[in-house]
């Protein structure tokens, strides 16, 4: 089957571009001799994950449903990289009972106390990472704060002890998404490294083994100039890339492996609009490029072959309608015939992919070589009681 035979909108994945993106990051990290723990929240697909990492792991997830799915598909070394909550303890324990080597994160004494008690009661040996805040972006404990040692005090000092044990620290340099140039990303990567390493050293100084120092974001993973003291790196959106990453200079627009195939269904010529059947339900409402130098609206427009059509963007979106227009002058919008198929590059690959149930896989051309399933949501198939 060819792309032009499909009912639209559908999610298209260029396997060749995806493989090149994976190879590029692995080659960059190779000299640093660190463990690579790819984040699978972007792809949510075993078929994609097999290109990212070998069966078994290590991998990163953002939901316990992801942990459950990837465990069932052969990956058992899993970092759940969202602060754990007490209503998820039993689910984590269930995954461990089923063979998962789970690691969880947290950043506060309330959760630390509850988790330590839970693991003691269940006689569950569970590695825990303290989330540290190295850039003021989101959650985490400041690396040099008293709270770091205070929260650590709830846990065993090594894996040889029974119960929840402090395995180290992790951080996410999310502020890299706000950088204006690659030099700023390089600087933030070093800030990330120093903060995480400093936190781990403070923990070791008071007797914790803390063997793991985990850092990562797609921008800093690509531009880190030193990873001294770091043991593992995480990244997720690198597998597909998107317009936000292109706007940061992390990739080129031509590296973006994901697109949404849509069809022109009408025109509003007096407004300079082409109407398509891909609205925000197909693209998501993510406007991540709005604060960058170039605002790409809801997506950048390509022809059926995936070649960018200069200055055409999806400027507005309704639930099932997308409006395409010339970014500077509506009078220059080409009124392509009704029935013309186009491909839209997403602002944020994670959120666009989340709108779809499968990837239509191509290898640089129009022929569809496979269909790969993906999933979404939070509730797993295994129901457990706390």
């Amino acid at each position: 089957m060819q792309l032009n035979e499909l009912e639209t909108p559908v999610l298209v994945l260029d396997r060749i571009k995806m493989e090149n993106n994976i190879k590029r990051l692995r080659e960059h990290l190779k000299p640093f001799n660190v463990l690579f723990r790819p984040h699978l929240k972007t792809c949510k697909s075993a078929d994609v994950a097999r290109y990212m990492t070998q069966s078994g792991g290590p991998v990163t997830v953002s939901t316990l449903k992801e942990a459950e799915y990837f465990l069932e598909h052969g990956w058992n070394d899993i970092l759940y990289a969202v602060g754990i909550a007490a209503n998820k303890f039993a689910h984590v324990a269930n995954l461990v009972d089923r063979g998962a080597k789970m690691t969880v994160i947290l950043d506060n004494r309330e959760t630390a106390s509850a988790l330590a008690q839970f693991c003691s009661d269940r006689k569950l040996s569970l590695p825990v990472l303290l989330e540290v805040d190295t850039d003021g972006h989101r959650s985490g404990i400041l690396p040099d704060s008293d709270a770091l040692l205070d929260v650590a005090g709830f846990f065993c000092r090594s894996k040889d002890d029974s119960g929840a044990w402090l395995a180290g620290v992790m951080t996410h340099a999310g502020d890299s998404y706000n950088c204006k140039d690659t030099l700023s990303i390089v600087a933030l990567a070093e800030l990330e490294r120093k903060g995480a390493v400093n936190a781990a050293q403070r923990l070791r100084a008071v007797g914790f083994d803390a063997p793991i120092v985990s850092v990562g974001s797609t921008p800093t993973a690509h531009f880190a100039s030193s990873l001294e003291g770091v043991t593992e790196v995480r990244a997720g959106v690198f597998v597909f890339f998107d317009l936000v990453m292109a706007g940061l200079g992390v990739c080129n627009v031509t590296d973006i492996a994901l697109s949404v195939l849509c069809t022109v269904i009408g025109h509003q010529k007096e407004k300079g609009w082409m109407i398509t059947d891909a609205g925000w339900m197909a693209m998501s409402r993510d406007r991540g490029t709005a604060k960058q130098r170039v605002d790409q609206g809801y997506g950048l427009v390509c022809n059926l072959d995936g070649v960018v059509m200069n200055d055409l963007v999806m400027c507005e979106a309704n639930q099932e309608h997308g409006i395409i227009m010339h970014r500077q002058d509506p009078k220059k919008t080409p009124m392509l015939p009704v029935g013309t198929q186009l491909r839209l590059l997403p602002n944020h690959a994670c959120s666009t992919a989340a709108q779809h149930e499968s990837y239509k896989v191509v290898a640089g051309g129009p022929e569809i070589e496979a269909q790969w399933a993906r999933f979404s949501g939070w509730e797993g198939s295994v129901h457990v009681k706390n």
Side-chain angles (χ1 to χ4, degrees):
M1 183 175 283
Q2 308 287 309
L3 285 177
N4 62 7
E5 299 178 67
L6 294 176
E7 185 175 323
T8 54
V10 295
L11 189 64
V12 179
L13 172 58
D14 189 316
R15 177 180 56 79
I16 303 300
K17 291 184 178 183
M18 179 192 75
E19 289 189 70
N20 288 337
N21 295 340
I22 295 168
K23 180 180 178 181
R24 175 189 165 194
L25 182 54
R26 285 196 171 278
E27 289 296 318
H28 174 70
L29 293 176
K30 189 180 295 183
F32 297 114
N33 194 31
V34 292
L35 185 72
F36 181 44
R37 185 182 288 275
H39 207 316
L40 305 182
K41 67 173 184 175
T42 301
C43 69
K44 285 185 166 66
S45 165
D47 293 296
V48 175
R50 290 186 185 102
Y51 286 86
M52 299 171 73
T53 181
Q54 63 185 6
S55 180
V59 298
T60 310
V61 300
S62 62
T63 71
L64 291 181
K65 182 174 182 177
E66 291 169 30
E68 194 173 290
Y69 169 89
F70 286 109
L71 175 62
E72 291 169 353
H73 285 80
W75 287 272
N76 63 355
D77 183 353
I78 302 170
L79 169 63
Y80 173 46
V82 175
I84 191 67
N87 58 11
K88 300 174 185 175
F89 291 171
H91 198 167
V92 171
N94 177 268
L95 289 165
V96 173
D97 288 343
R98 293 164 58 194
K101 177 189 173 185
M102 293 295 298
T103 302
V104 301
I105 73 168
L106 54 81
D107 69 352
N108 60 83
R109 68 190 330 268
E110 294 85 357
T111 306
S113 174
L115 181 61
Q117 186 63 56
F118 177 89
C119 290
S120 177
D121 292 344
R122 296 289 184 97
K123 295 181 172 54
L124 173 66
S125 178
L126 184 69
V128 180
L129 302 181
L130 296 188
E131 183 175 8
V132 295
D133 176 9
T134 57
D135 61 6
H137 172 70
R138 195 165 59 192
S139 51
I141 305 168
L142 295 176
D144 56 357
S145 69
D146 293 339
L148 184 78
L149 302 183
D150 178 47
V151 175
F154 288 96
F155 299 112
C156 301
R157 293 176 180 264
S158 81
K159 63 181 177 181
D160 296 328
D161 300 322
S162 176
W165 64 281
L166 189 60
V169 299
M170 67 82 68
T171 188
H172 169 61
D175 205 42
S176 60
Y177 280 56
N178 298 319
C179 288
K180 302 302 182 184
D181 51 50
T182 54
L183 288 178
S184 299
I185 298 174
V186 171
L188 196 68
E190 180 59 12
L191 185 70
E192 175 188 41
R193 184 197 70 81
K194 282 184 176 179
V197 170
N198 175 46
Q201 289 173 338
R202 292 185 64 211
L203 293 169
R204 292 164 188 159
V206 295
F208 291 97
D209 285 353
I212 297 172
V213 179
S214 180
V215 305
S217 73
T218 285
T220 56
H222 282 82
F223 289 102
S225 58
S226 169
L227 289 171
E228 183 179 357
V230 169
T231 63
E232 67 176 39
V233 173
R234 310 178 321 278
V237 77
F238 78 98
V239 65
F240 299 148
F241 283 133
D242 53 29
L243 291 171
V244 167
M245 290 297 107
L248 291 171
V250 180
C251 70
N252 296 316
V253 168
T254 52
D255 297 321
I256 299 173
L258 208 64
S259 63
V260 172
L261 182 70
C262 68
T263 304
V264 176
I265 59 173
H267 308 104
Q268 291 287 348
K269 293 182 180 180
E270 70 282 1
K271 298 178 181 178
W273 291 358
M274 280 194 296
I275 313 297
T276 77
D277 60 355
W280 55 255
M281 284 294 287
M283 294 300 294
S284 88
R285 281 198 177 276
D286 196 293
R287 290 292 308 276
T289 59
K291 294 181 180 180
Q292 294 184 330
R293 288 187 295 272
V294 179
D295 183 354
Q296 305 286 17
Y298 287 88
L300 191 59
V301 181
C302 302
N303 65 19
L304 185 60
D305 295 324
V307 178
V308 172
M309 303 178 72
N310 290 333
D311 291 321
L312 280 188
V313 295
M314 182 174 166
C315 61
E316 299 287 347
N318 302 122
Q319 184 167 333
E320 301 294 350
H321 294 76
I323 298 171
I324 291 175
M325 189 174 66
H326 190 281
R327 72 167 74 246
Q328 296 171 337
D329 184 356
K331 295 178 181 179
K332 293 182 179 180
T333 304
M335 293 298 154
L336 301 174
V338 169
T340 301
Q341 289 189 325
L342 302 169
R343 289 164 70 175
L344 306 170
L345 302 181
N347 281 315
H348 187 176
C350 302
S351 53
T352 295
Q355 307 300 110
H356 300 264
E357 295 181 349
S358 68
Y359 303 96
K360 298 297 190 294
V361 184
V362 298
E367 183 176 352
I368 300 166
E369 65 176 25
Q371 176 170 299
W372 293 343
R374 55 165 286 121
F375 67 97
S376 58
W378 293 266
E379 186 177 2
S381 60
V382 177
H383 298 277
V384 293
K385 295 181 180 180
N386 287 301

